[in-house]
Amino acid sequence: MKILHVAETAKGGVGTYLAELLPLQAQSFGARNVRMLVPAAHAGHVTGVDKQMVRCWRRSGRSPLNLLRLALAIRTEVARFNPTLVHAHSSFAGAVLRMMYPSERPFRLVYCPHGWGFDRPSSHAKNRMLAMVERALASKCDEIIVISEHERSEGLRIGIPHASMSLVLNGISDGPPSLPSHWEDERLKVLFVGRLDRQKGFDTLLDAVAPLADRICVRALGEAVADPRKSRTGGEGIQLLGWRSLAEIAGEIAAADVVVVPSRWEGFGLVALEAMRGSCAVVASDVGGLREIVVDGVTGRLVPPDAPGRLMEVLSHGDRAYWKRLGKEGRRRFVSFFTAERMNADLVQVYLHLESGIADVPLGPRPLLVREVPRSRRRA
């Protein structure tokens, strides 16, 4: 089997996904049989991937011209590589590929939205239009991979058939324990990782911890991307450290007491997995895929989005022993359900099923994993 991964952007979650997946698929199928086509400017975001598997195209923004460049790059790479399966990542790559090859094509086509475009706060008209596009294109590929039960249910809601989607929950690789960064403070150490933008709810965290500066200190790894001029970026007890490498992030997680993921919307939430891998408790918004990762009162806490008062209340209760206990439970849950090896094994099952020529037989979704963990509600 020869697999070509195509991405219109490789920043953020898509880049992490590819960085986790490609080395494992190289082990499964051989490095010569796995490639990814990504923007040249984003290739550095996909770390740890053998250079022979990387092909690039020139992207200078998101415009019709750049989508045409992507289409030409896809056509060229398909002719050169002759893949048996193409895996499209996110809505733009998925749309381009499905419009280029709507029916007759020399490969199987798999599409992963990595969070539906219509499942974001926006105008009703825009989200309705995006939902119509996804519904119209759903039949133009052999399988749609959804990364959370929430994403699958939203697909069903807009009319995408159950049999068209396979649920493969995200996963990340495990590794040796990280050495904690230097972070000496008697206060509760709270870590935020991600864009300092409205979606990620950094302003909610700032409002929540402002009255607790004598009890809580915060480190933020990341920068504002969407509109840096309008983003709130600090306050008393807030350290802004900018973007950090994956190894540095793991070190900060190892030093923290709590990782907070206060997103207003989230297709999945890889930061929560990174925290659980590092045995750190998670306080996350009760939205999207986050509610499938964090078990409230067992591995962390779930709070309503855009509710700084409730977030403040949760963070102000519980001592370090309480948060450490939740972190240990989170580590157990990560090892059981959210490793990259499990994710790759599930994807390979989908690939082989399609290659066998019985793609019209539904694979069926994996069970919602959160049901496999007791929903006991332990309060601080």
Side-chain angles (χ1 to χ4, degrees):
M1 177 178 288
K2 298 176 73 175
I3 304 165
L4 173 64
H5 294 270
V6 178
E8 185 269 338
T9 177
K11 287 185 176 181
V14 172
T16 301
Y17 190 92
L18 291 171
E20 296 287 359
L21 190 60
L22 264 68
L24 292 171
Q25 293 198 345
Q27 294 176 19
S28 300
F29 302 107
R32 293 183 179 181
N33 294 319
V34 181
R35 285 187 184 174
M36 70 172 184
L37 180 63
V38 297
H42 299 178
H45 292 268
V46 188
T47 58
V49 173
D50 191 327
K51 290 183 178 180
Q52 72 171 321
M53 294 191 289
V54 181
R55 298 294 184 273
C56 296
W57 62 283
R58 185 167 60 90
R59 179 186 189 271
S60 58
R62 185 164 281 169
S63 67
L65 175 60
N66 278 283
L67 294 181
L68 176 60
R69 288 173 177 163
L70 173 59
L72 292 174
I74 290 170
R75 185 80 68 183
T76 299
E77 195 56 38
V78 166
R80 289 176 178 172
F81 185 51
N82 191 27
T84 53
L85 184 142
V86 176
H87 191 152
H89 298 273
S90 289
S91 55
F92 283 94
V96 169
L97 270 158
R98 287 180 290 176
M99 288 189 288
M100 289 176 65
Y101 303 97
S103 54
E104 297 296 327
R105 52 182 172 265
F107 50 79
R108 294 293 190 180
L109 179 56
V110 172
Y111 162 55
C112 180
H114 292 279
W116 299 111
F118 59 80
D119 189 29
R120 301 172 183 175
S122 188
S123 69
H124 176 73
K126 179 180 178 180
N127 283 344
R128 184 177 180 183
M129 180 192 70
L130 292 173
M132 289 175 60
V133 170
E134 289 288 0
R135 186 167 56 246
L137 292 177
S139 63
K140 308 303 181 185
C141 62
D142 296 294
E143 198 76 29
I144 297 174
I145 302 294
V146 290
I147 60 175
S148 68
E149 176 66 22
H150 170 78
E151 191 169 78
R152 188 170 73 91
S153 65
E154 284 297 295
L156 292 172
R157 181 181 64 81
I158 69 163
I160 296 177
H162 181 282
S164 297
M165 296 182 286
S166 289
L167 172 59
V168 177
L169 292 174
N170 270 0
I172 57 176
S173 58
D174 201 359
S178 299
L179 294 176
S181 69
H182 181 72
W183 190 358
E184 296 296 332
D185 202 301
E186 293 301 317
R187 297 172 294 177
L188 187 74
K189 296 188 284 290
V190 171
L191 183 67
F192 174 94
V193 182
R195 292 180 281 109
L196 311 185
D197 295 332
R198 187 175 187 278
Q199 179 201 348
K200 300 300 183 180
F202 184 60
D203 58 315
T204 300
L205 176 60
L206 292 178
D207 288 339
V209 301
L212 304 173
D214 61 328
R215 301 163 58 187
I216 291 178
C217 58
V218 177
R219 281 185 175 176
L221 309 182
E223 295 177 356
V225 174
D227 193 344
R229 294 172 299 177
K230 294 183 179 180
S231 298
R232 293 172 53 193
T233 56
E236 185 179 355
I238 310 294
Q239 289 182 275
L240 302 178
L241 302 183
W243 296 115
R244 289 291 187 268
S245 68
L246 294 178
E248 289 172 320
I249 291 172
E252 295 293 342
I253 289 172
D257 297 310
V258 183
V259 171
V260 176
V261 190
S263 304
R264 288 181 168 89
W265 70 94
E266 197 71 67
F268 190 74
L270 282 173
V271 172
L273 285 193
E274 292 171 345
M276 290 162 59
R277 176 181 61 186
S279 301
C280 189
V282 182
V283 176
S285 295
D286 191 7
V287 298
L290 286 170
R291 59 170 66 102
E292 298 164 45
I293 300 172
V294 180
V295 182
D296 189 33
V298 178
T299 68
R301 297 298 306 275
L302 292 172
V303 297
D306 209 3
R310 179 58 181 150
L311 179 56
M312 178 183 69
E313 180 184 345
V314 167
L315 290 175
S316 63
H317 286 81
D319 55 16
R320 279 198 167 90
Y322 169 76
W323 295 112
K324 188 173 183 179
R325 184 172 70 249
L326 297 188
K328 287 183 177 179
E329 290 298 324
R331 169 70 188 176
R332 292 191 184 98
R333 181 162 168 76
F334 163 76
V335 171
S336 297
F337 299 123
F338 293 109
T339 64
E341 289 76 13
R342 190 274 313 152
M343 176 181 69
N344 180 59
D346 287 354
L347 280 174
V348 168
Q349 179 187 1
V350 175
Y351 293 169
L352 295 177
H353 181 86
L354 294 176
E355 189 185 37
S356 70
I358 53 173
D360 56 328
V361 179
L363 285 165
R366 290 175 56 83
L368 180 57
L369 296 180
V370 77
R371 294 177 187 151
E372 301 174 28
V373 177
R375 297 287 292 184
S376 60
R377 303 272 176 168
R378 302 177 193 164
R379 293 290 184 245

